[in-house]
Every structure is written in C-alpha cells, then in structure tokens.
Amino acid sequence: MTNSIFDTLTVGQVEDLIQEEELKLAGYIFYYTVDQHDIGKYCYPFGVNPFLENNYTTDGYSIDYISDQFTALIGLFEDPNATFFLLDQYWQELVGLRGTILDVLFRNIKLYDYNTFVNYLLNNWNNSIKNDLGLLISSATGALQEGAQRYNSFVGGKLIVDFEEFDDVVTERPTLKPLKEAFEHSVQTRPDVVERLRQEFSKNKELPSQRAVAVQTDCEAIDRICQINSLIIENNKRSLLLFLSSARASRETYFAEESSILTNYYPRIEGKLFRFHRTSAQLFVQLLLQDDEDLKRLATLKEMKEVVEKRTKTIGNESNSFEVVFKERIDILRNRYAREKLLKQINEFRELFEQLQQAGGRFGRLSTLYNNLVAERADRSEELEKSSKGILSTINFELEFKEHYLQWLESRASKTPNFIIQRGKDPVFGTAHHLPLLFENGGNQKELISQITQRYIRDEVEALKSKANAADLDANIEDLIKKQTTESFAHQGKPEPEDILVRSLLNLIIPFDRTKKKSYTPEEMVIQVAKKQIDLIAFEGDVLLLGDYYYLLCWACRRDKQYERSRKYAELGKQLNENDPRFWHGLFLYNYCEFRECIKKTTLTIEGNASSALPFLGKAIETSQKALEKYESWLTDAKRTEDPIVLKKTKAALMTGIIIVHAYLYAIEGDIDFLTKSREVTQDLKKFEGTAYGQQPEYLYVESFLEYQEYCEFQKKNQSELAQRKLQQARAAIESACKAIPDRSQYSAWKKELAKLT
C-alpha cells in the first residue's frame, strides 16, 4: 500500500519544480490543462460512492495519501489566480464523470430515513447494498452534496472548455493571448507522433477496447500539449501550459522517467527539456512552499531534491523520509485544510461495513455511528434541507436541471421578478421558434405538456407588460415545475422518457443568464439528456415519442448554433413522417440561420457574401411552403390532439419567417415580386390572427421590417411622399413593439436605426 503521497515523488519531479521556479523568476507564467481524473478526485476523494470497488482504498492507497491528495487539489483548484483549460480530447471523459454524479444523486433521493433503510438491509442482503449504504453515508457526511457543488463551481466557473470562453478571458487577461493562439494552431494532432506514442505506451500489445480508447485519447492530448508549448517557445512568448494528471497510467507509463520516447517531443527552453507533466504530489510540495519568498522557495526545493535522492538510496530508513525532514511544514498545511477528519469518518464506515458484511450483519454499531455523524452535522443537514441549494431535497431534478432552476429562484428572490424570455444563441425570433411546443406523444405527461405550452403562449406577452404580470408568470412556471417533479418523480425511481421531455421543455423556458459562465447552457443540457433517450425509444418502437425527441433535438441544437446537427434531426424526423410539419419547419429555420451566418447583418444594410447566402434563402422558401401546407392539414384534421391555440401560434410564427425571408430576398436582389409576396403573407397573417395581430410585438417588428423595405423601393422610384409614409409606418410599428417589450434589444436597436433616417 502507498502510505504517503511523498512515496510517489521522484527526483525528476522535484527537478521539474525547480525548473518551474527558475522560469517564474525569468518572467514565465504557467497555466493548467487538467485530466478529468484529478477533477473527479477533487470532487470525490474516495470516488462518487466510497463503498464501490476501484476507489482509492481498494486500489492500494492509504487514508493519509487520499487526504494529502485532496488537500493538494483544493489548494490548486480553489486558487483564485489559477486558470484551467480542458483539451477537446478529454471532453467526453468529463461528460462521463458528470453523468456518473447525476446517476448517483438521483439514486440517493430515496435514501432519507435510516431506520427504513436498515430494515431494507436486513431483509435484502446482496451486493447492491454496498451502493445504497455508500450513498447514505456520503449524504450524511455531506460528501455527496459538497462533491457535486465542487464540480459545479470548478467546471462551471473556472474551467475553460471552448474557444468562445477563451476569447472572453483573453480580453480580461492579455497574457493569455499567446496561449490562445497556440491552442488555435494545434487543433489537429499529428497522426504519426500519436501512433508512435500509442505503440510505445501499449507496449505493442492489443489492449481491451476501453483501455485502448483511453490510451489513444491520452496520446492525442500529450501530442497537443507538446505542440502548444513548442509554438509558444518558438514565438519567444512566456505563457506555458502544464498538464495535471495524477492517474497511475500518467505517472508510471506516459511520463515515467525511464521512458525516453517523450524526450523526442518535449519542447526545450534554452536547451533544457521542459517537462510539463504535474501530479498531486508536486502540487502538495508547492502548497508547502507557497508562503516562502521566491529565492527561499527555490533553495528549499533543492534541499527537497536531496532528501528524495537520499530516500531512494536508503529505502527503509525512516529518518530520511520526506515526512520526517519536513514534518513541521506538513503538519501546518494539514491542519490548515483540516480535511482528514471527514475522510477518516467515511473510511471508518467503510471498514465497519466490511466487517459487518463478513459477520453476517448486525447493525447496532453502524446505526450508532451514523446517528452520531448526523448529530454532528445537524445544523448543516437542516440548512441543506431548508436551503434552495439543497442538492438532495426540494425538487427531484437531475443536477444540471436543478442548478438552472435554483439559480432562477435565487435571482427571483434577490430582485423584483422580471420574466426574461429565454432565447437561444441563434438569430430566430418568436416564442414558437424559441421553443418546441408541439409534442405528439407525451405519454403520461401529455396533459402537463399541454398546460405548459398553453400557459406560456397565452401569458408571455402579458407578462412582459408589467412587473406584476411577470411575477404571475414566474409563479405559474414554478407551480408547473413543482407539479411535474412531485407527481412524476416521487417514489418512481428513474424518470420515463416522457418525464424527461417535460423537464427539457421547462429547462428551455426557465430564464437563463447567458452573461455568466456556467458548466452547460440549457440547450447543451437538453441535447445531452435527450440523445441518451433516442436508442431506447427506437428499440421500443414508439414512433410518436421518437418523433417528439427528434423535434426537441432539432430545436435545441439550432438554439445552440449546432446548425448541421439541427438539420440532421429534422431529416431523421422527416424520414419517420414526411407529412409532419414540425420537421419542414425545422429545415426552414436551419436554412434561415445558415443564411444569417453567410451575411454580416447590420440593421439597415447587408454585408458579406450575399451570393453564397441565396441558396439557403431558396431552400428556406421551399421548406416553408411545405411546412405551411402541412400545418394547414393538421389544423383541419379533427383527429389531431395538439392544442389548437399552440398549433395556430406555431403556424403564425412560420408565417413571420416567410415574410422576413422574402424581404431579405428583395433587399439582396431588388426584385419587387419578393416584396409583393411578403405583403401578401402579411395580409394573410393579419386575417389569420385577427385582432391579436396588433398585440403581438414580434408581428409588429416584422411589419416594421417590411415597411422599411417598401420605403427603400419608393426611394428608388423617387416617390418621396410614399417613401416617407412607409418610414413613418415602420417607426410606428417598432414603437408599439418596444412599448410591449421595452427590454428587447433587437427591437430597440432597430428603432434607433430607423430614427436616423430622414
């Protein structure tokens, strides 16, 4: 068993720390890319469930080792000055960790009452008990909740996972610019280098498939980090990337000092290899020295190197051990973080449980231990139960849905409610374009889906007119969430696909602050959870429910600007049912968004490659006509079960899109026929909506856009009086839209542009 974290510390690793200190003195700045292994051990030092196999205590590590590693990771990950990046290669692994946390949290929901649980144990002794008891202990100690909160805090607040976030950080911290440029130029790995590394690290043996994938991923990541640092050094910049990976494979295989292959690819600084790999043992050493001045820290590191050298030469001589020589420093650090007590409590439960299992199971002592632990943490337990941040209470959402919902509740509690219509990152407008509102199946949740869509469609505009109405809509949505979670999740175990459909819709409705960095956007949450349902539903042959999920994914992907994926799901849905208007509608919106990507659209002019955008507009017109015909068919079919109000609103939203597309075609090609078509559809929309037309701000915005294009046509014909009339009508329409929704930036920007015209 590895008793101490320092037993893993090598002479080479201390030399790497010395080099790092010397480079810092020379003005170098260091940033971290992180293996998900270390993120996992920061969140859950024993693993998500301390009773499962393959955690530290069953993998040859002592409780002291676990405690010190945990301390080291806290010291780094909670350092406000540290910056972290996730390589693309490790994205799937991070998502896998998140999925594991979610599964365990959901499983733990039912384990509140200890006495009930003990009876369950006595009557159902089998291997699955370890899972449940481990979760109970994790919950009682707070480890389960705190680990999830650490995950949210680090991944959502500190870990940079894409280039859009990178741009924001570089704006704030220009020293990161060389690193960003190196990231961008090293997106592609070098196949020849990766293959040589893979052969070396697999010892030319055929590995089990899961292990082979892991080795391939690690080799690609290592190659990319080599490239990033080499590019920075070649350009004489001083922002370097370190790779934190404490996994055994990293220490003992990839970066083992006796392995020479990486010396061919490590970058060099002034002729000396720059070995960028770091472990939790090295972090702990740096934490020991964090309060020292620069030169003293360097001198102590050199002293530490001598201690490690002596230890390797005199194995078994305790007087030479790292802990003995630096005992005072180590004790101070351990006391400062005070994490060992909690870890030992968990370990005591694990050891006791194993003894009870071997003895056939009497639970008296275990019960006493558990009750004592709960008593110690009574204040915290009560706080968790009462607080809106209680991860295992209030609403039985999975973690990502719950976090979004609770952040909304916090924002409502901190200020007067002002319902902000949730929109995606795409350029479409209109509620029925932002949200997928027409679900065919819904199963046991059909009625609830109908309530949600009806209430949102009917109340949205009213909610935007006053604070009081906004508060009412807030309360309505909250009531629906509570109704869905309490009725659908209580005492049922794993949610059904219909339940997930409802939560996904709610997640896309609940206001979301996109200015704050989060782990995942609502769209990403929905995409991930919905994709997992597809295979299951397809296997069961439920065509209507499968169509609903294709529809949901088509909308969510487009909102996240994953346009090609949105098109794919629309095509899949079309294959299920050629006459389903939702998928033709989805293809229309896909083509509209691709058109907007081709041009740089300012409010009054179109710039960019307009000719490349025209094919998308042509496709948009073609697909919109198909969608319109098929919506008409649904509206006249008495057998259809969709809510007629929602169906009418969805058709109306499509009509606004048709008006806009034809107006754009006129703006690009100058053909008045397109303008005539826009006006015809506008008149049809007015007849279709009746008196409601003038009350809908999105219709007024479209009307204003069309009036402006007609103004342009009259200007070209030198008919100034008619042109001015059209301009006044355009201004009046957008003024009405702005009065309905004062906070909509799209409307206010258009109003300002129109005001500039004479």
Side-chain angles (χ1 to χ4, degrees), residues 383-580:
E383 176 193 336
L384 285 171
E385 286 297 322
K386 290 183 177 179
S387 168
S388 64
K389 290 189 175 182
I391 292 184
L392 296 177
S393 57
T394 58
I395 297 173
N396 300 333
F397 272 13
E398 289 177 342
L399 182 60
E400 76 275 24
F401 289 93
K402 183 183 299 182
E403 181 188 15
H404 179 189
Y405 173 65
L406 292 177
Q407 286 168 350
W408 174 49
L409 290 184
E410 285 181 348
S411 68
R412 290 179 64 218
S414 63
K415 60 184 179 182
T416 305
N418 184 15
F419 199 87
I420 301 171
I421 299 302
Q422 163 142 211
R423 305 177 61 188
K425 294 187 276 187
D426 59 324
V428 306
F429 58 90
T431 300
H433 284 164
H434 299 322
L435 297 171
L437 297 173
L438 289 171
F439 292 103
E440 284 200 278
N441 187 305
N444 61 355
Q445 295 298 310
K446 178 78 173 180
E447 182 181 350
L448 187 58
I449 290 175
S450 179
Q451 287 181 32
I452 294 169
T453 53
Q454 282 186 41
R455 195 168 298 182
Y456 196 74
I457 282 286
R458 290 169 174 167
D459 294 350
E460 176 195 6
V461 174
E462 286 302 314
L464 291 161
K465 291 180 179 178
S466 73
K467 302 289 185 183
N469 289 339
D472 288 343
L473 183 54
D474 267 5
N476 286 340
I477 295 298
E478 184 178 1
D479 286 344
L480 287 168
I481 292 171
K482 288 180 178 178
K483 178 180 173 61
Q484 192 264 337
T485 53
T486 54
E487 291 185 3
S488 303
F489 284 80
H491 317 300
Q492 283 192 17
K494 192 172 182 180
E496 294 297 321
E498 293 90 343
D499 300 315
I500 292 172
L501 204 62
V502 176
R503 277 185 300 159
S504 296
L505 178 58
L506 287 168
N507 198 48
L508 293 175
I509 288 175
I510 297 170
F512 178 77
D513 187 351
R514 295 182 186 274
T515 64
K516 294 182 179 178
K517 293 179 182 177
K518 302 289 192 307
S519 323
Y520 301 95
T521 64
E523 291 79 20
E524 289 168 337
M525 298 175 196
V526 168
I527 291 166
Q528 184 181 350
V529 75
K531 282 167 64 178
K532 290 179 180 178
Q533 298 298 316
I534 292 292
D535 291 339
L536 174 63
I537 298 167
F539 178 77
E540 293 178 348
D542 190 335
V543 176
L544 290 180
L545 188 57
L546 185 60
D548 284 342
Y549 267 91
Y550 284 150
Y551 173 49
L552 173 68
L553 283 163
C554 175
W555 251 245
C557 288
R558 189 201 70 244
R559 283 175 49 137
D560 201 44
K561 299 187 78 171
Q562 299 183 39
Y563 296 138
E564 190 55 36
R565 285 187 179 181
S566 177
R567 185 195 64 77
K568 182 190 83 169
Y569 287 115
E571 293 289 356
L572 287 170
K574 202 155 65 83
Q575 290 172 22
L576 281 181
N577 183 359
E578 181 81 11
N579 293 315
D580 191 325

Side-chain angles (χ1 to χ4, degrees), residues 251-283:
R251 297 198 320 266
E252 298 179 2
T253 303
Y254 306 144
F255 299 101
E257 289 169 27
E258 58 270 19
S259 173
S260 60
I261 187 168
L262 280 177
T263 59
N264 299 318
Y265 306 111
Y266 277 133
R268 292 178 179 270
I269 301 176
E270 297 180 357
K272 187 176 180 180
L273 289 177
F274 172 58
R275 296 185 299 206
F276 47 74
H277 176 236
R278 295 294 181 267
T279 69
S280 54
Q282 289 169 294
L283 296 183

Side-chain angles (χ1 to χ4, degrees), residues 40-85:
K41 295 312 170 189
Y42 163 64
C43 299
Y44 296 100
F46 281 99
V48 178
N49 188 333
F51 281 42
L52 292 180
E53 299 301 318
N54 301 320
N55 288 321
Y56 275 119
T57 49
T58 56
D59 199 26
Y61 295 94
S62 71
I63 188 69
D64 293 326
Y65 180 99
I66 300 168
S67 179
D68 287 343
Q69 180 172 58
F70 191 28
T71 295
L73 293 172
I74 289 171
L76 178 66
F77 289 166
E78 297 181 10
D79 179 354
N81 299 315
T83 303
F84 305 91
F85 302 91

Side-chain angles (χ1 to χ4, degrees), residues 190 227 372 685:
R190 299 169 292 187
Q227 290 187 69
N372 289 342
L685 179 59

Side-chain angles (χ1 to χ4, degrees), residues 162 596 600 645 685:
D162 61 41
R596 291 291 299 270
K600 180 182 178 183
I645 293 177
L685 179 59

Side-chain angles (χ1 to χ4, degrees), residues 104-117:
V104 169
L105 284 169
F106 193 86
R107 189 175 166 78
N108 189 63
I109 289 168
K110 58 190 177 186
L111 302 178
Y112 291 117
D113 182 71
Y114 183 77
N115 292 324
T116 301
F117 187 72

